[in-house]
Amino acid sequence: MTEDLYWDDAIPGTQCTTPGVTVTEAMVNAYAELTGDFTPVHMDEEYAKTTPFGTRVAHGLLGLSLADGLKTRAGYRFVPGMSLGWEWAFKLPIKLGDTVHVKFRVGTKREAKRPGWGILTLPSDLINQHGEIVQTGEHRLMIPRRPTA
């Protein structure tokens, strides 16, 4: 297992690709139960066939949630800190059976006003098995600095 990195260890420009995950019907159904979003394009195949997607698709926010979770399984990851927010765009649908992974990089790095912390931006793409970017954006994180002895 790779050791989690502190803010001090982050090198702008460093890139990483996460493992992938296949989006299943069970995942979409569980997300609907969790959030209460039972919109037919996510839940009803017959209805979804009448939409431009032609089939059921995953909730957009399920894709963002997967992107966030996949980053925690990457070989390049950080000591847990605080999420400061996301800027995120939905480009293409995620269909049941799609396998997605995240490609991200360390964008910017600056010291935080809070002593002992630093801020990173991680520009990220959620990519399907066809190499298409289905979602894209940037995650801002406050990460602990390496403790001094």
Side-chain angles (χ1 to χ4, degrees):
M1 179 175 258
T2 304
E3 182 179 335
D4 290 354
L5 304 171
Y6 288 94
W7 175 87
D8 309 73
D9 303 319
I11 301 168
T14 301
Q15 294 187 20
C16 185
T17 300
T18 70
V21 64
T22 300
V23 178
T24 66
E25 180 178 28
M27 293 166 85
V28 172
N29 292 345
Y31 189 85
E33 287 289 333
L34 179 68
T35 63
D37 182 352
F38 295 95
T39 305
V41 73
H42 307 305
M43 306 305 296
D44 181 343
E45 182 63 30
E46 290 308 309
Y47 172 83
K49 286 178 182 177
T50 70
T51 71
F53 305 123
T55 190
R56 287 175 63 188
V57 296
H59 303 75
L61 291 175
L62 174 57
L64 174 57
S65 297
L66 291 172
D68 193 38
L70 286 168
K71 286 191 336 231
T72 69
R73 296 174 37 208
Y76 190 85
R77 62 179 179 272
F78 298 95
V79 172
M82 295 175 252
S83 179
L84 299 177
W86 289 86
E87 291 183 26
W88 203 246
F90 308 117
K91 299 292 189 180
L92 294 171
I94 300 171
K95 297 180 178 181
L96 280 65
D98 279 355
T99 299
V100 295
H101 67 276
V102 177
K103 184 173 182 181
F104 70 92
R105 67 180 170 81
V106 177
T108 61
K109 175 181 176 179
R110 67 177 172 87
E111 292 188 33
K113 292 178 184 174
R114 179 180 287 199
W117 294 81
I119 296 174
L120 299 176
T121 60
L122 301 178
S124 306
D125 294 323
L126 184 65
I127 302 167
N128 68 16
Q129 71 275 12
H130 305 295
E132 301 167 318
I133 296 172
V134 295
Q135 296 184 3
T136 188
E138 182 175 273
H139 191 194
R140 289 179 313 285
L141 297 163
M142 189 157 32
I143 305 292
R145 299 209 49 188
R146 184 172 295 286
T148 55

